[in-house]
Amino acid sequence: MLQGLRDNLKGTVVASVVVLFFVLPMVITGVGSSWLGSVAGTDAASVEGRTITRQELEREVYLQRQRLLGQQGVDPSADYLKEENLRQPVLDRLTKKEAMLSSNEKGGMAISESTVNALIVAQQDFHTDGKFDAQLYRSLLARIGSSPAMYKQEMAENMVLSQLNAGIESSSFITEMEKSSLVAIINEQRSFFTVDVPADGIADAVSVSDEDVQGYYQDNQSEFLEPEKLSVNYIELSVSKLSQGIKVSAEEVEVQYQLELAAFDATPEFDIAHILINEGDDSASRITEVQEKLNAGEDFAELAKSYSDDAGSKSNGGALGVMLDGVFPEEFQNTVLALETGGISSPVKSDSGVHFIKVLDKRVRAAPSLEDRKSAIEISLKRGKAEEIFTANLELLEELTYDSDNLDSAAAELGLTVQASPLFERVRGTEIATNVQIRNAAFDPEVLVDGHNSRVIELAANRAIVLRVKEHQPERFKALAEVREQINGTLTEKAVEQVLKSKADGFIAAVEGGATAETLAGEFGYTYTFHENASRSAPVSDPQTRQKVFATALADSAVTFETNKNSDGSYRLIGITSSKPGEVSEMESQQLVGLSTQLGRENSRFEGSAYQENVIGSSSIKVH
């Protein structure tokens, strides 16, 4: 087949069609039975006659666990990552999916095989040098326990479900009343004032007694619970540190450099273009005409657009890209190898027709010098030797630390240093204890309770660590003496806040009794600010205050009050005096369109959820 494609060089477009519609469907479809084949007694559930096999369930559980582990800061030993805890949620998801697929199938929804093929071929994950790579495709699927047939089925199912979602979204609509109600809320304007009651000097007048401190300490013990902590001594074996102590000779570098030179590929790379003349009654005259125009110095690309019979390349001036070995006819390839950049060949005959060939660019890679490669070779050689030592010492590290009551002898034997960590908790730590494997090993009963060295903990980047507990601090309640100052500050703050609240309550009562807020604030020396017809996004006051203003339900009274504590300790009174709903007529048309689109999406999301619940609720689902 490859020979045929090569021989039919003139049919670039035809060749592409053959590859797309003949070769790739065979690759994508796969051969043989599905990995998920169901046999008697192997079904995990059935939905409307569609089965979910135990193999499929286990595979999805595995994939879900890998997805969760890929998230940052995940503890691999966490209970929610255990297979028995993942299995039920995954099975629920699979049964719901099967119910939706069954409903879609009954409704006549489907995706054509050619559409699925085209989508898979277009996925960049399966591309090498910009083209679909069948070997890479199969390899990546195999890594997750899948196959081309399985992946194709999954793609088709997901596309059908996406098609359903798109249908619900496109059919969703909003009424004018819904739009008006949303605009009324979003573009609402409120007028409000703020009065800041200062806290200056109040704390100086507050007295906190020993009895108050003692009482708070007794009543709030949970605030003073110090979690269990420990620190560890540890020794670390790593390729990185081993390589720092290794030296390589100039002779070793030279030998490696010569090996690289021997393996260096200096084959030139050619960017080429051609003009193809098919055989026919007028081919001889056309060949002569093209040759004469080339001899006269006319532009090769323009001539290709006018004369070439290769429909796939003529519009690009005959450009064929980089010449790949074995793809072009032998006589064509030999001609290219004899040309330099800018060179144009005489007519070259092949089974495809007659070609005029131009080398657009010839690139010959020069071998790097020893000086250019010296540093990288030294690093590579050092790391190679370090990896050998690491592998040998890893087993020795386990032997030396197993059943030993210290780390010193192993450290001396391996030339390592015993290091110490700061105190850390079960769920968090610094330095080496940021690693969850380290924390888990340190708090393991064999290490923490029995006093043994840990097992060898292999970390990323070729690192291995053995640790033992240095200091252990059990969970405890802090003594009153340790937290007295903290409690005193808390009680003082509460007392100040109570005084401020009392002042604020008095102010509110006076305003509700008929006093003018601005006048009253002036009499008390409070800061008063008024904001008229402010919107939610208006740059007035501060975001926290605006949030309070628009989150408050308005009372029937003339002023609706809210309170807030400022960052400087002062107390803020917020008085909302009026509200004006937003009007559709006041919005720009572009904003209104965007708002309608957003509301439509939200409606379709709720409608889609309701439809899904209805389908699942009416489906026959049996879990075995």
Side-chain angles (χ1 to χ4, degrees):
M1 181 179 294
L2 180 58
Q3 181 65 39
L5 289 174
R6 183 180 65 199
D7 291 343
N8 286 287
L9 179 64
K10 63 179 180 181
T12 304
V13 173
V14 175
S16 299
V17 171
V18 171
V19 172
L20 181 60
F21 291 101
F22 180 60
V23 178
L24 291 180
M26 290 196 302
V27 171
I28 293 170
T29 302
V31 180
S33 61
S34 169
W35 182 79
L36 296 178
S38 174
V39 295
T42 63
D43 291 343
S46 61
V47 182
E48 293 291 308
R50 304 164 67 98
T51 59
I52 299 171
T53 67
R54 296 193 185 278
Q55 295 98 321
E56 181 180 4
L57 174 60
E58 294 305 319
R59 174 173 169 270
E60 288 299 321
V61 168
Y62 169 78
L63 291 176
Q64 176 66 6
R65 187 172 191 275
Q66 295 306 116
R67 282 190 287 268
L68 293 173
L69 285 172
Q71 299 174 4
Q72 189 173 5
V74 173
D75 181 354
S77 63
D79 284 343
Y80 73 91
L81 288 176
K82 294 179 179 178
E83 289 188 9
E84 59 268 26
N85 295 330
L86 287 173
R87 190 171 286 107
Q88 188 58 50
V90 170
L91 183 58
D92 289 343
R93 174 167 56 82
L94 291 177
T95 54
K96 290 176 181 178
K97 178 181 177 182
E98 289 299 328
M100 296 303 297
L101 288 171
S102 176
S103 175
N104 291 355
E105 186 177 304
K106 292 175 183 177
M109 295 181 66
I111 297 292
S112 69
E113 185 175 3
S114 60
T115 300
V116 178
N117 290 344
L119 185 62
I120 293 176
V121 170
Q123 286 186 286
Q124 295 298 313
D125 289 341
F126 304 139
H127 282 207
T128 300
D129 296 331
K131 295 181 180 179
F132 180 80
D133 186 331
Q135 184 176 355
L136 175 63
Y137 171 67
R138 290 181 179 276
S139 174
L140 290 177
L141 293 184
R143 292 182 191 177
I144 60 171
S146 187
S147 68
M150 290 168 55
Y151 186 70
K152 184 177 179 180
Q153 179 182 343
E154 290 169 0
M155 288 288 292
E157 291 174 349
N158 290 335
M159 290 174 72
V160 167
L161 293 176
S162 296
Q163 190 179 70
L164 172 65
N165 291 336
I168 293 175
E169 182 174 341
S170 63
S171 63
S172 180
F173 63 92
I174 61 172
T175 65
E176 290 300 319
M177 181 176 292
E178 286 177 312
K179 191 187 304 181
S180 298
S181 298
L182 185 60
V183 171
I185 296 172
I186 292 176
N187 287 353
E188 180 187 11
Q189 295 179 346
R190 292 190 173 187
S191 296
F192 66 96
F193 63 80
T194 60
V195 175
D196 290 334
V197 182
D200 299 343
I202 297 178
D204 297 335
V206 172
S207 176
V208 177
S209 67
D210 289 342
E211 290 76 13
D212 292 335
V213 172
Q214 180 72 40
Y216 187 90
Y217 178 75
Q218 293 295 337
D219 295 340
N220 299 275
Q221 282 283 289
S222 60
E223 290 185 24
F224 313 115
L225 182 64
E226 182 79 2
E228 179 183 24
K229 295 180 180 180
L230 59 78
S231 63
V232 296
N233 287 325
Y234 66 96
I235 52 177
E236 178 179 349
L237 180 68
S238 74
V239 168
S240 176
K241 291 182 180 178
L242 286 170
S243 63
Q244 295 173 9
I246 294 174
K247 295 183 179 180
V248 294
S249 66
E251 290 76 13
E252 290 176 298
V253 173
E254 176 66 29
V255 169
Q256 181 60 33
Y257 175 70
Q258 292 301 325
L259 290 173
E260 289 186 2
L261 282 184
F264 183 78
D265 183 8
T267 304
E269 188 177 78
F270 296 87
D271 282 336
I272 58 175
H274 80 147
I275 300 171
L276 174 67
I277 307 297
N278 288 338
E279 293 185 8
D281 295 338
D282 63 342
S283 59
S285 61
R286 293 176 65 210
I287 292 170
T288 301
E289 189 174 346
V290 171
Q291 183 68 75
E292 289 174 351
K293 289 181 179 290
L294 288 172
N295 291 341
E298 292 194 26
D299 185 69
F300 187 93
E302 293 303 318
L303 292 175
K305 293 177 183 178
S306 301
Y307 289 92
S308 182
D309 291 323
D310 182 0
S313 68
K314 66 182 299 180
S315 61
N316 294 325
L320 297 172
V322 177
M323 184 178 73
L324 301 177
D325 186 47
V327 171
F328 297 91
E330 184 177 355
E331 55 273 25
F332 185 102
Q333 186 166 313
N334 290 339
T335 301
V336 172
L337 294 175
L339 294 172
E340 298 296 330
T341 299
I344 300 175
S345 73
S346 300
V348 178
K349 185 174 176 55
S350 75
D351 292 344
S352 304
V354 175
H355 312 265
F356 291 92
I357 308 168
K358 180 176 182 179
V359 173
L360 303 176
D361 188 23
K362 177 182 178 181
R363 296 180 293 275
V364 181
R365 289 198 305 152
S369 67
L370 175 59
E371 190 61 31
D372 291 336
R373 291 290 303 153
K374 182 179 179 181
S375 177
I377 290 175
E378 286 179 347
I379 292 173
S380 177
L381 290 175
K382 287 180 180 180
R383 185 166 185 83
K385 291 183 177 183
E387 287 175 348
E388 292 179 4
I389 298 172
F390 178 83
T391 301
N393 285 358
L394 190 60
E395 185 174 347
L396 184 57
L397 175 64
E398 186 170 8
E399 293 176 1
L400 292 172
T401 55
Y402 181 76
D403 207 25
S404 174
D405 61 358
N406 64 76
L407 297 175
D408 297 328
S409 57
E413 180 77 17
L414 296 171
L416 303 175
T417 302
V418 177
Q419 303 177 69
S421 78
L423 288 165
F424 57 88
E425 303 170 19
R426 288 179 182 269
V427 295
R428 67 180 61 86
T430 59
E431 297 181 10
I432 192 174
T434 57
N435 189 293
V436 65
Q437 291 177 261
I438 297 295
R439 298 199 304 273
N440 288 343
F443 281 95
D444 186 283
E446 290 189 1
V447 177
L448 177 58
V449 179
D450 299 337
H452 297 317
N453 292 333
S454 73
R455 59 178 174 78
V456 176
I457 308 165
E458 293 191 52
L459 306 176
N462 284 333
R463 296 171 61 208
I465 287 174
V466 176
L467 57 83
R468 66 182 293 112
V469 172
K470 175 188 177 186
E471 178 186 354
H472 178 228
Q473 293 183 358
E475 181 182 78
R476 68 183 184 92
F477 288 102
K478 293 180 181 178
L480 177 59
E482 295 179 77
V483 296
R484 180 179 295 278
E485 187 174 343
Q486 174 187 339
I487 294 174
N488 191 76
T490 299
L491 292 177
T492 299
E493 186 178 342
K494 286 180 178 292
V496 169
E497 188 172 340
Q498 188 59 42
V499 172
L500 290 172
K501 184 177 184 305
S502 178
K503 289 184 176 184
D505 290 344
F507 188 96
I508 292 172
V511 172
E512 290 178 341
T516 303
E518 184 175 7
T519 302
L520 193 61
E523 291 176 1
F524 285 115
Y526 301 160
T527 302
Y528 174 91
T529 308
F530 181 73
H531 304 284
E532 186 174 12
N533 294 333
S535 65
R536 295 173 184 271
S537 58
V540 299
S541 190
D542 62 278
Q544 189 177 15
T545 297
R546 290 200 308 273
Q547 183 179 7
K548 279 270 188 180
V549 167
F550 285 95
T552 300
L554 300 184
D556 295 332
S557 56
V559 181
T560 301
F561 280 100
E562 262 292 349
T563 59
N564 203 18
K565 187 176 181 180
N566 295 327
S567 58
D568 63 357
S570 61
Y571 210 72
R572 171 163 289 184
L573 288 168
I574 304 170
I576 306 167
T577 59
S578 66
S579 172
K580 176 185 175 185
E583 298 286 344
V584 171
S585 59
E586 297 174 354
M587 289 192 71
E588 295 182 5
S589 58
Q590 189 174 0
Q591 289 180 313
L592 193 58
V593 169
L595 184 63
S596 299
T597 301
Q598 183 179 356
L599 182 58
R601 287 196 185 119
E602 287 298 313
N603 280 354
S604 70
R605 185 170 66 84
F606 287 117
E607 290 165 4
S609 297
Y611 174 77
Q612 179 177 321
E613 289 177 8
N614 182 61
V615 168
I616 294 170
S618 60
S619 296
S620 173
I621 301 176
K622 296 180 180 179
V623 177
H624 303 302

